[in-house]
Amino acid sequence: MSDAILKEQVWDVLYLAKCAVDGLTPDAERIQAMDLDAVWEISDKHALSSACATALDSAGVRDERFIQARGKAVRKMALMDAERKTLCSHLEEAGIWYLPLKGPLPSLWHATDV
């Protein structure tokens, strides 16, 4: 694979991730021109497959690899949130001050905070 083609496919992954983050539906013509196998390989390698899945889903593209990646990410977030709640509860019960420094805190983030 040439560097020019690889570079284009990396831009495709970044485009899809940006669409997912910004809540935009990707351009149908651009998606049609994408090599979804290459997009999958690059996005999976760089942990962006769930974001790409969100963008592709909003455009009506159904690819089992991306669907599975998104489901896995949702399950992981749910487990992490449950563990965080348990840990924070134990710390609060023990009177231990804490400050979460890293990781997802979905219950603390609101669209109005931005």
Side-chain angles (χ1 to χ4, degrees):
M1 177 182 317
S2 73
D3 287 345
I5 292 172
L6 179 62
K7 185 176 181 179
E8 181 180 331
Q9 292 164 343
V10 168
W11 279 112
D12 288 341
V13 170
L14 293 174
Y15 170 71
L16 291 172
K18 181 182 182 343
C19 287
V21 169
D22 292 344
L24 302 173
T25 300
D27 180 62
E29 288 181 25
R30 182 160 182 184
I31 290 176
Q32 289 295 326
M34 290 180 186
D35 177 356
L36 287 183
D37 290 332
V39 168
W40 166 255
E41 286 184 32
I42 294 166
S43 66
D44 188 49
K45 181 179 179 180
H46 295 285
L48 291 170
S49 53
S50 179
C52 290
T54 300
L56 291 170
D57 185 54
S58 73
V61 176
R62 305 288 185 259
D63 184 300
E64 191 61 32
R65 298 168 295 189
F66 288 101
I67 292 168
Q68 292 294 323
R70 185 173 182 197
K72 182 179 176 182
V74 168
R75 287 188 298 276
K76 182 179 176 182
M77 289 293 293
L79 288 171
M80 288 177 66
D81 192 44
E83 289 297 319
R84 179 192 54 80
K85 287 179 182 177
T86 301
L87 178 60
C88 291
S89 176
H90 288 299
L91 291 171
E92 289 168 6
E93 288 172 10
I96 299 171
W97 181 88
Y98 65 93
L99 176 65
L101 296 177
K102 186 176 177 184
L105 297 172
S107 61
L108 299 178
W109 292 65
H110 303 285
T112 57
D113 293 342
V114 181

